[in-house]
Amino acid sequence: MFPIITALFLLTAIAAFSYSMYNRLSLLKVAQGKDNRIDQLGLRIKGMLAYAIGQKRFFRKKRDPKSGIIHAIIFWGFCVISLRTIMLFGMGFSKNFALPFMDGAFGFAYRATLHTFLLLVSVAILMFLYRRIVTKPKRLTLSGEAILILCVILSLMVSDMFFDGSHQLLTGMTEPGAFMGSLLALFLKNLSPDTLSVINGTSFLIHIALILGFLNYLPYGKHFHIITGVPNVLFRNLKPYGALNPINLEDENATTFGNDKIEQFTWKNYFDWYTCTECGRCQDVCPAFNSDKPLSPKELTISLRDFLYKKQGKLVGALNGKEFEKDEAGFIKDEKALLGETIDHEILWSCTTCRACEEACPVFIEYVQEIVDMRRNLVLVQGAMAPEVQNSFTNMERNYNPWGIGYTERGSWAKSVGVKTLAEDPNVEYLYFAGCAANFDDKNKKVATQLSQLLQKANVSFGILGTEEKCTGDSARRLGNEYLAQTLMKENIETFNKYKIKKVITSCPHCFNSIKNEFPQFGGNYEVVHHTDLLNQLIKEEKIKPEKPVDKKVVYHDSCYLGRYNEIYDAPREILQAVPGVTITEAQNNKSNGRCCGAGGGRMWIEEKIGTKVNHMRTDDLKETGADMAATACPFCKIMISDGIKDRAPSMETQDVVEILAQSVNLG
């Protein structure tokens, strides 16, 4: 049809696109952080097919499935139309061009599918335009760019249909299955051959020009995810979510710790920023954002991406041998500091590390690690932290717990129920690692006591470490003090190994997560069980028998570190179901959609001075169910929900699942 024009369009567009992609991909070489994302290829490909191609995360009931379905239609439509685009480019060189396998049944099936998606995508685009122009959901970045791109996609669909309809009339051939083209042909049939030729040629040129223009625009806007989204899902994190990357503190060549330069992030961080669709699903579920804190995971990603793009010229130039002014650490000088000037410190300190943002993100962007990496620089290099954060570090250093209570008090609760330390009797099956809260917080000492009584009734062989137990370092690590965290972890591992411990019971999901997922980074490999899983197993084995009715309407609050981090959702609920008299109700935000209590990420130790308190928001969620009692399975959650109930729902009460079960069991 237009061989010279088609060739010029193609060559120019491919050259420009290659240049843009070279610059974007070259930036990945700048990233200094190491990250292996090519292991377990079978699992990666399976996930890519489910989440990237199958759009699985878009269909969850509590994650705006309506817009998810619309997005999936557009994505699948693009996949189907891609083959058609190849055919159109072929026809640009020869009007009779046709792919050899387009005859017969396959050709009919493809054309029918293609024209179905031409219609569906057109309707989907109109619905998205309505949302952005009329309803304007808060979570979306309402930009002119998005509207322009939607109009481009709609134009692609319409131009394809007009091309097909005019082509059918000019050739006198109706292709079976091409029903949208046939429909357009009905409206065009009275036009002259010359007019039809103009429509045919114009629609063809518009279509290929839009395709090539759109392709070249992608690396410069949020729609870059069309290229990077599928590989970003392929490269998703397959390690336990609760295992933060350690710092090599013994590296004698290290001049800094944590990240305050854009070059210090990993290539996967860059890929995440490229891939952000700005859909706002992360922001929609973020407890910090929803309580009027300055953190928005979406805006944080955009800020990091924009910072990288502004520095791109210098970074790529340096790769090609150009010299630029550098700072004392050897990095190309920034016009504006990343931390403090570009990203306010309070943005980083607002994060509860609950992972709601990561769970909601359809393209698996990882926020928590990069936030912790920036906190590490603030703490270990700049010393920029709130006084209460410094105080909690001092308490952990001196007394091995964030409360700062004398470590000699650790384990004193166990004397009343006859629980021995491993120093007294090392010949036990389990170590019960009670954790700081159960040892020093009055609300949680009762949980440790009653759990011990339940285990004794079931003839479980266990002991505690007493004064030899130390904080696992969870809060220290997530607050950015990697040095203190590693010190505490290694000292605990040394004690564990001294007693040849193989199995560990924990009450605290944060301890559970650290011992299970982070201790192995330093050689501590143990079989770790949370008390809800163990108690549920003992009930099923009839070693514990709930008999006395507990006539309460109970709503269970999911701990982030038990649920989203370690996927333990059913065991606490099954324990409650086993207790006679208990009626279970569910909060609207539950299980993987559960709202954080506000204590994670070390926020337990930071005064909440901005906006609404997160624990108040969560208490309101629980109060709406009409429950008499909020059940927890985490000491931090118990503290935060108890405090929230005092302020927002004084008629309710809070108990750990252990306490509810203990009321129903004859402890003797």
Side-chain angles (χ1 to χ4, degrees):
M1 286 178 64
F2 302 98
I4 296 176
I5 295 176
T6 304
L8 284 174
F9 274 18
L10 268 175
L11 290 173
T12 304
I14 290 172
F17 179 71
S18 298
Y19 174 77
S20 299
M21 288 301 294
Y22 169 78
N23 284 329
R24 290 292 187 247
L25 295 177
S26 291
L27 281 177
L28 301 182
K29 298 179 183 177
V30 173
Q32 295 185 359
K34 296 180 180 179
D35 210 347
N36 176 25
R37 298 298 178 111
I38 56 173
D39 59 330
Q40 304 182 66
L41 273 178
L43 191 58
R44 292 188 178 280
I45 292 170
K46 182 180 177 182
M48 180 188 70
L49 293 173
Y51 293 104
I53 308 301
Q55 304 275 284
K56 185 176 177 180
R57 280 194 167 181
F58 280 107
F59 301 128
R60 291 179 295 184
K61 290 182 180 179
K62 296 181 181 179
R63 291 286 187 263
D64 192 6
K66 182 179 177 181
S67 66
I69 292 168
I70 297 171
H71 183 279
I73 288 171
I74 295 172
F75 173 78
W76 293 331
F78 255 94
C79 293
V80 172
I81 292 163
S82 295
L83 185 58
R84 166 70 164 181
T85 301
I86 295 171
M87 294 163 63
L88 285 175
F89 277 112
M91 293 171 73
F93 292 100
S94 172
K95 65 180 181 180
N96 295 319
F97 175 84
L99 293 172
F101 47 81
M102 280 298 167
D103 295 327
F106 180 84
F108 172 78
Y110 175 73
R111 285 188 294 273
T113 304
L114 170 66
H115 283 257
T116 299
F117 274 105
L118 287 174
L119 176 60
L120 289 176
V121 171
S122 298
V123 173
I125 292 297
L126 291 173
M127 293 176 72
F128 268 170
L129 283 170
Y130 180 82
R131 289 176 79 239
R132 287 186 170 273
I133 296 171
V134 180
T135 60
K136 299 179 180 179
K138 290 182 179 180
R139 67 177 174 83
L140 295 179
T141 300
L142 299 172
S143 63
E145 175 200 344
I147 293 174
L148 173 65
I149 295 301
L150 288 173
C151 290
V152 167
I153 297 171
L154 181 60
S155 299
L156 286 170
M157 303 302 111
V158 173
S159 62
D160 195 302
M161 288 185 276
F162 269 93
F163 175 82
D164 203 288
S166 58
H167 185 72
Q168 288 186 27
L169 291 171
L170 287 170
T171 60
M173 296 174 59
T174 302
E175 295 181 308
F179 62 88
M180 288 305 296
S182 299
L183 182 63
L184 261 293
L186 292 175
F187 289 96
L188 302 174
K189 66 180 181 180
N190 294 324
L191 298 177
S192 67
D194 289 342
T195 304
L196 288 173
S197 294
V198 171
I199 292 173
N200 188 251
T202 302
S203 58
F204 170 80
L205 291 174
I206 288 173
H207 192 89
I208 65 168
L210 287 175
I211 281 285
L212 296 175
F214 184 50
L215 179 68
N216 275 279
Y217 180 75
L218 290 181
Y220 298 96
K222 77 184 189 72
H223 287 81
F224 197 18
H225 73 270
I226 292 174
I227 295 173
T228 61
V230 172
N232 203 58
V233 175
L234 179 70
F235 297 139
R236 71 195 185 282
N237 178 42
L238 293 182
K239 297 183 299 184
Y241 286 117
L244 291 176
N245 295 332
I247 294 177
N248 182 5
L249 298 170
E250 298 177 0
D251 183 2
E252 296 179 356
N253 297 319
T255 57
T256 186
F257 297 108
N259 297 354
D260 71 330
K261 299 292 181 183
I262 206 72
E263 298 96 311
Q264 293 170 313
F265 291 89
T266 71
W267 68 267
K268 179 57 171 60
N269 291 138
Y270 289 9
F271 224 80
D272 278 350
W273 307 338
Y274 289 170
T275 307
C276 179
T277 68
E278 300 180 22
C279 69
R281 288 171 182 262
C282 56
Q283 175 181 290
D284 219 23
V285 298
C286 175
F289 179 83
N290 287 315
S291 60
D292 300 318
K293 310 293 188 297
L295 170 64
S296 159
K298 178 185 74 173
E299 295 300 332
L300 175 63
T301 298
I302 293 171
S303 296
L304 289 165
R305 183 179 66 198
D306 289 348
F307 194 95
L308 177 66
Y309 285 173
K310 285 178 183 177
K311 203 172 180 179
Q312 174 177 299
K314 291 181 178 180
L315 294 172
V316 175
L319 287 175
N320 295 325
K322 292 183 180 180
E323 290 293 331
F324 297 95
E325 186 180 1
K326 296 184 178 181
D327 60 21
E328 295 177 357
F331 295 102
I332 297 173
K333 276 194 172 182
D334 296 321
E335 295 177 7
K336 193 177 180 181
L338 179 64
L339 302 187
E341 293 183 310
T342 303
I343 298 171
D344 189 81
H345 293 179
E346 194 59 44
I347 290 173
L348 303 177
W349 293 119
S350 296
C351 180
T352 67
T353 69
C354 70
R355 280 201 66 249
C357 54
E358 296 184 355
E359 184 73 21
C361 180
V363 289
F364 287 79
I365 292 174
E366 298 158 28
Y367 304 93
V368 173
Q369 180 69 59
E370 67 186 21
I371 288 173
V372 171
D373 282 335
M374 287 184 274
R375 283 184 177 182
R376 285 168 171 173
N377 187 269
L378 293 180
V379 170
L380 297 175
V381 179
Q382 301 183 36
M385 69 198 91
E388 58 263 36
V389 173
Q390 179 60 65
N391 186 54
S392 68
F393 291 156
T394 301
N395 290 337
M396 284 184 264
E397 289 167 359
R398 293 178 179 174
N399 286 298
Y400 313 119
N401 70 85
W403 276 272
I405 299 171
Y407 73 90
T408 55
E409 291 297 309
R410 204 166 199 127
S412 59
W413 59 269
K415 295 175 184 176
S416 64
V417 285
V419 177
K420 294 182 179 180
T421 65
L422 266 63
E424 296 170 323
D425 181 9
N427 299 313
V428 293
E429 182 179 4
Y430 289 97
L431 162 67
Y432 171 36
F433 193 94
C436 299
N439 280 291
F440 301 110
D441 174 67
D442 289 338
K443 290 184 179 73
N444 286 288
K445 286 181 181 178
K446 184 180 176 183
V447 178
T449 301
Q450 293 191 337
L451 174 62
S452 298
Q453 290 176 302
L454 288 166
L455 295 178
Q456 288 168 338
K457 185 170 184 65
N459 294 318
V460 175
S461 171
F462 71 99
I464 63 171
L465 287 174
T467 56
E468 292 186 274
E469 180 185 292
K470 296 177 180 178
C471 179
T472 60
D474 163 81
S475 289
R477 192 171 220 195
R478 279 144 189 84
L479 285 170
N481 195 336
E482 181 72 4
Y483 177 81
L484 175 57
Q486 287 194 23
T487 299
L488 291 168
M489 283 189 273
K490 289 175 181 177
E491 289 177 354
N492 273 312
I493 289 169
E494 185 178 345
T495 304
F496 282 22
N497 292 343
K498 179 177 75 172
Y499 289 111
K500 297 182 174 56
I501 290 166
K502 290 184 173 56
K503 297 181 180 180
V504 182
I505 303 167
T506 67
S507 293
C508 176
H510 297 263
C511 296
F512 173 79
N513 180 73
S514 291
I515 299 171
K516 179 184 178 184
N517 297 320
E518 295 188 319
F519 278 31
Q521 295 173 345
F522 308 100
N525 295 283
Y526 313 101
E527 182 183 325
V528 191
V529 61
H530 186 260
H531 72 244
T532 54
D533 265 339
L534 181 57
L535 290 175
N536 192 38
Q537 178 187 334
L538 294 172
I539 291 171
K540 289 178 178 178
E541 294 173 353
E542 297 188 348
K543 293 180 179 178
I544 293 177
K545 297 180 181 179
E547 295 172 339
K548 300 176 186 176
V550 179
D551 295 320
K552 296 286 183 180
K553 185 179 181 181
V554 178
V555 56
Y556 174 69
H557 162 75
D558 289 280
S559 156
C560 301
Y561 275 74
L562 195 62
R564 270 190 293 271
Y565 274 93
N566 289 287
E567 298 186 345
I568 297 176
Y569 296 111
D570 295 333
R573 289 173 169 83
E574 289 176 5
I575 291 172
L576 293 173
Q577 287 169 354
V579 176
V582 167
T583 302
I584 301 176
T585 184
E586 291 285 355
Q588 184 177 0
N589 297 316
N590 66 345
K591 296 189 176 180
S592 62
N593 300 311
R595 197 197 301 271
C596 177
C597 74
R603 289 291 314 183
M604 178 79 178
W605 321 108
I606 302 177
E607 179 111 13
E608 203 166 349
K609 300 173 184 176
I610 301 174
T612 306
K613 291 186 176 182
V614 175
N615 67 323
H616 283 181
M617 293 174 60
R618 186 52 177 163
T619 301
D620 290 344
D621 293 341
L622 304 177
K623 182 181 177 181
E624 286 176 2
T625 66
D628 307 311
M629 180 184 292
T632 61
C634 168
F636 286 3
C637 293
K638 182 176 170 62
I639 293 169
M640 298 298 281
I641 301 300
S642 295
D643 291 348
I645 282 175
K646 283 181 185 177
D647 298 331
R648 311 285 280 208
S651 62
M652 289 182 72
E653 58 181 315
T654 315
Q655 287 192 350
D656 191 282
V657 171
V658 166
E659 296 173 280
I660 298 171
L661 177 61
Q663 292 177 52
S664 183
V665 175
N666 181 11
L667 294 177

